[in-house]
Amino acid sequence: MLELKNVSYSVQDELGQKTILKDVSLKLDDRFVAFTGPNGGGKSTLAKVIAGIIKPTEGRIYFDGEDITDLSVTDRAKKGISYAFQQPVRFKGLTVRDLINIAAGKTMKVSDACAYLSEVGMCARDYIDREVNASLSGGELKRIEIATILARATKLSVFDEPEAGIDLWSFGNLIKVFENMYQKTQGSILIISHQERILNIADKIVVIANGQIQNVGAKSDVLPKLLASDSCRVLTDKL
């Protein structure tokens, strides 16, 4: 489904050119894929390159066999790629209902929109008509964003540390959301995470450090090495 060929990304700073991703080649067609590795290793940058938020300096990206390297984030969304930010965006003047309708690409019945909120552990009647603004906490925004990804039901859903800010919500429910999402969409879910329980549901784990892929393989092969190593901060289940 998704293929990256020799993808690199560099930026210019006060010290000169800085390489964030270097010659990344990868094929992903698994149900659940987890990107993990040390902070600052390039995981979020790679996810944004996949979503089209930033464009690679070098290399090509293919989705279902089509070269999407030069497509905008909007055009990639139309092709079936969703992206959930680590820090969700606030939209003054836009209600939660509006946001879910936009994500679904249609005007939904209130009961259907509420069902998505219920799936992420929110009391729908308390939130459906609220503005997506500063009155919402980071955890509430995170769950609303996950609900919009559910409503979109795309071929590829990318989540940047979805566990961040959901300490007031059962972590087990988050795992169930991802499992249910796959059942509904039959698409791929790519998750950036350090959380062991999320890595545990992955079919494939990709370890990224220093802008390069350090290891990639089935969970059964990669996770035990991570847990036995200090090279990657894998958290315990304390949410």
Side-chain angles (χ1 to χ4, degrees):
M1 175 186 288
L2 180 71
E3 183 176 7
L4 286 74
K5 290 186 176 181
N6 308 111
V7 169
S8 296
Y9 179 69
S10 300
V11 294
Q12 197 75 23
D13 61 17
E14 63 276 7
L15 299 177
Q17 191 174 57
K18 180 180 180 182
T19 299
I20 299 175
L21 296 174
K22 184 178 180 181
D23 198 29
V24 174
S25 293
L26 189 64
K27 286 184 179 181
L28 301 174
D29 58 3
D30 304 81
R31 180 182 59 160
F32 289 113
V33 178
F35 282 3
T36 194
N39 290 330
K43 302 182 299 299
S44 293
T45 299
L46 184 55
K48 289 175 181 177
V49 164
I50 290 169
I53 296 169
I54 56 179
K55 186 177 178 180
T57 310
E58 298 178 21
R60 311 303 296 177
I61 303 169
Y62 298 88
F63 186 58
D64 285 345
E66 178 184 357
D67 188 338
I68 62 169
T69 311
D70 298 321
L71 295 185
S72 68
V73 61
T74 301
D75 288 334
R76 292 191 202 192
K78 292 176 181 177
K79 296 289 183 183
I81 299 176
S82 297
Y83 183 85
F85 289 87
Q86 185 176 350
Q87 298 294 330
V89 180
R90 300 175 189 271
F91 299 94
K92 187 176 180 180
L94 202 65
T95 67
V96 173
R97 185 193 307 187
D98 294 333
L99 203 58
I100 292 175
N101 284 335
I102 291 169
K106 61 182 179 181
T107 301
M108 307 178 71
K109 294 179 180 178
V110 175
S111 58
D112 292 335
C114 286
Y116 289 113
L117 293 175
S118 297
E119 246 185 286
V120 296
M122 304 185 84
C123 180
R125 67 174 178 270
D126 292 340
Y127 289 95
I128 193 67
D129 291 318
R130 285 185 64 177
E131 282 192 23
V132 187
N133 57 22
S135 69
L136 295 169
S137 70
E140 289 169 330
L141 284 169
K142 176 71 75 172
R143 283 186 270 173
I144 290 167
E145 184 177 50
I146 294 172
T148 64
I149 301 295
L150 287 170
R152 288 209 65 214
T154 49
K155 293 180 183 178
L156 175 63
S157 302
V158 183
F159 293 90
D160 192 350
E161 298 197 22
E163 70 271 21
I166 61 162
D167 53 309
L168 298 180
W169 182 39
S170 166
F171 189 79
N173 284 342
L174 179 61
I175 302 297
K176 290 178 183 177
V177 164
F178 292 134
E179 292 171 341
N180 292 339
M181 183 183 296
Y182 174 75
Q183 294 301 323
K184 290 179 180 179
T185 67
Q186 296 297 299
S188 294
I189 300 170
L190 194 162
I191 306 172
I192 298 171
S193 182
H194 295 289
Q195 171 57 248
E196 182 181 346
R197 283 185 64 185
I198 287 183
L199 299 183
N200 239 325
I201 67 171
D203 298 306
K204 177 180 285 185
I205 295 177
V206 181
V207 182
I208 303 170
N210 300 316
Q212 296 178 295
I213 295 176
Q214 303 297 319
N215 196 2
V216 58
K219 173 191 66 180
S220 57
D221 294 328
V222 178
L223 187 56
K225 297 175 184 177
L226 285 175
L227 296 176
S229 171
D230 291 331
S231 63
C232 178
R233 181 175 59 90
V234 181
L235 305 181
T236 55
D237 304 336
K238 293 182 179 180
L239 289 181

mmCIF file of all heavy atoms in Angstrom, residues 205-235:
data_model
loop_
_atom_site.group_PDB
_atom_site.id
_atom_site.type_symbol
_atom_site.label_atom_id
_atom_site.label_comp_id
_atom_site.label_asym_id
_atom_site.label_seq_id
_atom_site.Cartn_x
_atom_site.Cartn_y
_atom_site.Cartn_z
ATOM 1 N N ILE A 205 6.925 -3.385 13.574
ATOM 2 C CA ILE A 205 7.523 -2.271 14.314
ATOM 3 C C ILE A 205 8.711 -1.739 13.527
ATOM 4 O O ILE A 205 9.554 -2.510 13.053
ATOM 5 C CB ILE A 205 7.970 -2.703 15.723
ATOM 6 C CG1 ILE A 205 6.764 -3.109 16.569
ATOM 7 C CG2 ILE A 205 8.736 -1.575 16.413
ATOM 8 C CD1 ILE A 205 7.113 -3.626 17.956
ATOM 9 N N VAL A 206 8.744 -0.411 13.379
ATOM 10 C CA VAL A 206 9.844 0.256 12.688
ATOM 11 C C VAL A 206 10.570 1.128 13.711
ATOM 12 O O VAL A 206 9.961 2.025 14.295
ATOM 13 C CB VAL A 206 9.326 1.129 11.522
ATOM 14 C CG1 VAL A 206 10.494 1.802 10.805
ATOM 15 C CG2 VAL A 206 8.496 0.300 10.537
ATOM 16 N N VAL A 207 11.839 0.866 13.939
ATOM 17 C CA VAL A 207 12.638 1.636 14.896
ATOM 18 C C VAL A 207 13.434 2.685 14.120
ATOM 19 O O VAL A 207 14.194 2.351 13.203
ATOM 20 C CB VAL A 207 13.597 0.735 15.692
ATOM 21 C CG1 VAL A 207 14.374 1.568 16.724
ATOM 22 C CG2 VAL A 207 12.825 -0.383 16.393
ATOM 23 N N ILE A 208 13.233 3.957 14.497
ATOM 24 C CA ILE A 208 13.877 5.073 13.804
ATOM 25 C C ILE A 208 14.752 5.849 14.786
ATOM 26 O O ILE A 208 14.293 6.218 15.868
ATOM 27 C CB ILE A 208 12.822 6.006 13.174
ATOM 28 C CG1 ILE A 208 11.920 5.225 12.218
ATOM 29 C CG2 ILE A 208 13.489 7.172 12.445
ATOM 30 C CD1 ILE A 208 10.713 6.007 11.746
ATOM 31 N N ALA A 209 15.981 6.096 14.398
ATOM 32 C CA ALA A 209 16.906 6.889 15.226
ATOM 33 C C ALA A 209 17.894 7.578 14.305
ATOM 34 O O ALA A 209 18.295 7.027 13.273
ATOM 35 C CB ALA A 209 17.638 6.001 16.229
ATOM 36 N N ASN A 210 18.259 8.793 14.665
ATOM 37 C CA ASN A 210 19.215 9.566 13.866
ATOM 38 C C ASN A 210 18.779 9.695 12.411
ATOM 39 O O ASN A 210 19.619 9.716 11.502
ATOM 40 C CB ASN A 210 20.612 8.946 13.948
ATOM 41 C CG ASN A 210 21.141 8.891 15.364
ATOM 42 O OD1 ASN A 210 21.018 9.854 16.125
ATOM 43 N ND2 ASN A 210 21.714 7.759 15.745
ATOM 44 N N GLY A 211 17.461 9.756 12.206
ATOM 45 C CA GLY A 211 16.932 9.969 10.869
ATOM 46 C C GLY A 211 16.976 8.761 9.959
ATOM 47 O O GLY A 211 16.683 8.875 8.765
ATOM 48 N N GLN A 212 17.304 7.604 10.510
ATOM 49 C CA GLN A 212 17.399 6.400 9.705
ATOM 50 C C GLN A 212 16.657 5.237 10.367
ATOM 51 O O GLN A 212 16.442 5.243 11.580
ATOM 52 C CB GLN A 212 18.867 6.008 9.505
ATOM 53 C CG GLN A 212 19.675 7.025 8.718
ATOM 54 C CD GLN A 212 21.127 6.603 8.583
ATOM 55 O OE1 GLN A 212 21.855 6.515 9.578
ATOM 56 N NE2 GLN A 212 21.563 6.348 7.363
ATOM 57 N N ILE A 213 16.283 4.264 9.564
ATOM 58 C CA ILE A 213 15.654 3.063 10.097
ATOM 59 C C ILE A 213 16.730 2.165 10.687
ATOM 60 O O ILE A 213 17.649 1.735 9.986
ATOM 61 C CB ILE A 213 14.863 2.323 8.998
ATOM 62 C CG1 ILE A 213 13.693 3.196 8.522
ATOM 63 C CG2 ILE A 213 14.355 0.982 9.513
ATOM 64 C CD1 ILE A 213 12.911 2.609 7.369
ATOM 65 N N GLN A 214 16.600 1.898 11.979
ATOM 66 C CA GLN A 214 17.577 1.067 12.677
ATOM 67 C C GLN A 214 17.163 -0.407 12.682
ATOM 68 O O GLN A 214 18.013 -1.296 12.730
ATOM 69 C CB GLN A 214 17.742 1.554 14.119
ATOM 70 C CG GLN A 214 18.147 3.014 14.233
ATOM 71 C CD GLN A 214 19.495 3.312 13.637
ATOM 72 O OE1 GLN A 214 20.434 2.545 13.787
ATOM 73 N NE2 GLN A 214 19.595 4.441 12.929
ATOM 74 N N ASN A 215 15.857 -0.623 12.666
ATOM 75 C CA ASN A 215 15.352 -1.996 12.673
ATOM 76 C C ASN A 215 13.916 -1.989 12.181
ATOM 77 O O ASN A 215 13.185 -1.014 12.392
ATOM 78 C CB ASN A 215 15.410 -2.593 14.087
ATOM 79 C CG ASN A 215 15.280 -4.111 14.100
ATOM 80 O OD1 ASN A 215 15.179 -4.744 13.054
ATOM 81 N ND2 ASN A 215 15.285 -4.698 15.284
ATOM 82 N N VAL A 216 13.498 -3.014 11.517
ATOM 83 C CA VAL A 216 12.121 -3.154 11.066
ATOM 84 C C VAL A 216 11.799 -4.639 10.971
ATOM 85 O O VAL A 216 12.628 -5.443 10.536
ATOM 86 C CB VAL A 216 11.899 -2.444 9.700
ATOM 87 C CG1 VAL A 216 12.846 -2.993 8.641
ATOM 88 C CG2 VAL A 216 10.465 -2.573 9.227
ATOM 89 N N GLY A 217 10.618 -4.994 11.435
ATOM 90 C CA GLY A 217 10.232 -6.398 11.388
ATOM 91 C C GLY A 217 8.980 -6.670 12.174
ATOM 92 O O GLY A 217 8.326 -5.755 12.694
ATOM 93 N N ALA A 218 8.624 -7.920 12.272
ATOM 94 C CA ALA A 218 7.445 -8.339 13.018
ATOM 95 C C ALA A 218 7.618 -8.009 14.493
ATOM 96 O O ALA A 218 8.743 -7.998 15.013
ATOM 97 C CB ALA A 218 7.208 -9.835 12.849
ATOM 98 N N LYS A 219 6.504 -7.741 15.171
ATOM 99 C CA LYS A 219 6.544 -7.416 16.600
ATOM 100 C C LYS A 219 7.295 -8.491 17.380
ATOM 101 O O LYS A 219 8.090 -8.177 18.285
ATOM 102 C CB LYS A 219 5.124 -7.287 17.129
ATOM 103 C CG LYS A 219 5.022 -7.112 18.640
ATOM 104 C CD LYS A 219 3.589 -7.259 19.127
ATOM 105 C CE LYS A 219 3.089 -8.675 18.931
ATOM 106 N NZ LYS A 219 1.707 -8.848 19.397
ATOM 107 N N SER A 220 7.074 -9.742 17.054
ATOM 108 C CA SER A 220 7.694 -10.839 17.796
ATOM 109 C C SER A 220 9.212 -10.814 17.711
ATOM 110 O O SER A 220 9.905 -11.319 18.599
ATOM 111 C CB SER A 220 7.167 -12.189 17.273
ATOM 112 O OG SER A 220 7.414 -12.306 15.878
ATOM 113 N N ASP A 221 9.739 -10.210 16.641
ATOM 114 C CA ASP A 221 11.191 -10.131 16.480
ATOM 115 C C ASP A 221 11.772 -8.855 17.080
ATOM 116 O O ASP A 221 12.856 -8.874 17.674
ATOM 117 C CB ASP A 221 11.552 -10.183 14.985
ATOM 118 C CG ASP A 221 11.207 -11.519 14.349
ATOM 119 O OD1 ASP A 221 11.283 -12.543 15.045
ATOM 120 O OD2 ASP A 221 10.851 -11.521 13.144
ATOM 121 N N VAL A 222 11.064 -7.734 16.919
ATOM 122 C CA VAL A 222 11.621 -6.434 17.281
ATOM 123 C C VAL A 222 11.358 -6.044 18.726
ATOM 124 O O VAL A 222 12.253 -5.522 19.412
ATOM 125 C CB VAL A 222 11.072 -5.333 16.340
ATOM 126 C CG1 VAL A 222 11.612 -3.958 16.734
ATOM 127 C CG2 VAL A 222 11.446 -5.649 14.896
ATOM 128 N N LEU A 223 10.143 -6.282 19.230
ATOM 129 C CA LEU A 223 9.781 -5.800 20.567
ATOM 130 C C LEU A 223 10.654 -6.374 21.675
ATOM 131 O O LEU A 223 11.079 -5.621 22.563
ATOM 132 C CB LEU A 223 8.301 -6.066 20.842
ATOM 133 C CG LEU A 223 7.749 -5.470 22.143
ATOM 134 C CD1 LEU A 223 7.996 -3.961 22.201
ATOM 135 C CD2 LEU A 223 6.253 -5.766 22.270
ATOM 136 N N PRO A 224 10.954 -7.670 21.695
ATOM 137 C CA PRO A 224 11.819 -8.178 22.771
ATOM 138 C C PRO A 224 13.165 -7.479 22.829
ATOM 139 O O PRO A 224 13.703 -7.238 23.916
ATOM 140 C CB PRO A 224 11.976 -9.666 22.412
ATOM 141 C CG PRO A 224 10.751 -9.998 21.630
ATOM 142 C CD PRO A 224 10.468 -8.760 20.827
ATOM 143 N N LYS A 225 13.729 -7.122 21.666
ATOM 144 C CA LYS A 225 15.013 -6.424 21.637
ATOM 145 C C LYS A 225 14.881 -5.018 22.206
ATOM 146 O O LYS A 225 15.776 -4.525 22.883
ATOM 147 C CB LYS A 225 15.534 -6.370 20.200
ATOM 148 C CG LYS A 225 15.832 -7.739 19.598
ATOM 149 C CD LYS A 225 16.238 -7.618 18.131
ATOM 150 C CE LYS A 225 16.446 -8.990 17.508
ATOM 151 N NZ LYS A 225 16.765 -8.883 16.054
ATOM 152 N N LEU A 226 13.734 -4.372 21.924
ATOM 153 C CA LEU A 226 13.497 -3.036 22.463
ATOM 154 C C LEU A 226 13.382 -3.070 23.978
ATOM 155 O O LEU A 226 13.942 -2.226 24.687
ATOM 156 C CB LEU A 226 12.218 -2.438 21.871
ATOM 157 C CG LEU A 226 12.269 -1.929 20.432
ATOM 158 C CD1 LEU A 226 10.883 -1.486 19.992
ATOM 159 C CD2 LEU A 226 13.252 -0.778 20.301
ATOM 160 N N LEU A 227 12.647 -4.028 24.473
ATOM 161 C CA LEU A 227 12.424 -4.123 25.915
ATOM 162 C C LEU A 227 13.710 -4.454 26.673
ATOM 163 O O LEU A 227 13.844 -4.116 27.848
ATOM 164 C CB LEU A 227 11.358 -5.177 26.214
ATOM 165 C CG LEU A 227 9.950 -4.877 25.675
ATOM 166 C CD1 LEU A 227 9.023 -6.045 25.944
ATOM 167 C CD2 LEU A 227 9.400 -3.603 26.299
ATOM 168 N N ALA A 228 14.640 -5.089 25.983
ATOM 169 C CA ALA A 228 15.901 -5.470 26.620
ATOM 170 C C ALA A 228 16.986 -4.420 26.436
ATOM 171 O O ALA A 228 18.097 -4.579 26.945
ATOM 172 C CB ALA A 228 16.384 -6.796 26.046
ATOM 173 N N SER A 229 16.633 -3.331 25.722
ATOM 174 C CA SER A 229 17.637 -2.327 25.399
ATOM 175 C C SER A 229 17.279 -0.983 25.988
ATOM 176 O O SER A 229 16.118 -0.657 26.196
ATOM 177 C CB SER A 229 17.759 -2.210 23.874
ATOM 178 O OG SER A 229 18.557 -1.120 23.507
ATOM 179 N N ASP A 230 18.281 -0.167 26.252
ATOM 180 C CA ASP A 230 18.072 1.197 26.733
ATOM 181 C C ASP A 230 18.026 2.190 25.577
ATOM 182 O O ASP A 230 17.879 3.387 25.786
ATOM 183 C CB ASP A 230 19.193 1.627 27.686
ATOM 184 C CG ASP A 230 19.126 0.856 28.994
ATOM 185 O OD1 ASP A 230 18.013 0.460 29.374
ATOM 186 O OD2 ASP A 230 20.177 0.664 29.612
ATOM 187 N N SER A 231 18.147 1.694 24.349
ATOM 188 C CA SER A 231 18.219 2.596 23.204
ATOM 189 C C SER A 231 16.880 3.223 22.869
ATOM 190 O O SER A 231 16.810 4.210 22.159
ATOM 191 C CB SER A 231 18.737 1.850 21.967
ATOM 192 O OG SER A 231 17.837 0.811 21.598
ATOM 193 N N CYS A 232 15.799 2.621 23.379
ATOM 194 C CA CYS A 232 14.455 3.165 23.102
ATOM 195 C C CYS A 232 13.668 3.202 24.400
ATOM 196 O O CYS A 232 13.572 2.195 25.093
ATOM 197 C CB CYS A 232 13.738 2.305 22.076
ATOM 198 S SG CYS A 232 12.056 2.856 21.721
ATOM 199 N N ARG A 233 13.123 4.343 24.733
ATOM 200 C CA ARG A 233 12.367 4.498 25.983
ATOM 201 C C ARG A 233 10.957 3.940 25.789
ATOM 202 O O ARG A 233 10.079 4.578 25.261
ATOM 203 C CB ARG A 233 12.281 5.969 26.386
ATOM 204 C CG ARG A 233 11.534 6.196 27.684
ATOM 205 C CD ARG A 233 11.605 7.659 28.072
ATOM 206 N NE ARG A 233 11.026 8.514 27.045
ATOM 207 C CZ ARG A 233 9.737 8.852 27.025
ATOM 208 N NH1 ARG A 233 8.922 8.408 27.957
ATOM 209 N NH2 ARG A 233 9.269 9.669 26.096
ATOM 210 N N VAL A 234 10.742 2.712 26.226
ATOM 211 C CA VAL A 234 9.428 2.094 26.142
ATOM 212 C C VAL A 234 8.770 2.204 27.512
ATOM 213 O O VAL A 234 9.300 1.737 28.510
ATOM 214 C CB VAL A 234 9.532 0.605 25.722
ATOM 215 C CG1 VAL A 234 8.153 -0.009 25.630
ATOM 216 C CG2 VAL A 234 10.258 0.495 24.390
ATOM 217 N N LEU A 235 7.602 2.814 27.552
ATOM 218 C CA LEU A 235 6.938 3.067 28.818
ATOM 219 C C LEU A 235 6.140 1.864 29.284
ATOM 220 O O LEU A 235 5.732 1.021 28.505
ATOM 221 C CB LEU A 235 5.987 4.262 28.668
ATOM 222 C CG LEU A 235 6.633 5.558 28.149
ATOM 223 C CD1 LEU A 235 5.576 6.641 28.071
ATOM 224 C CD2 LEU A 235 7.764 5.986 29.068
#
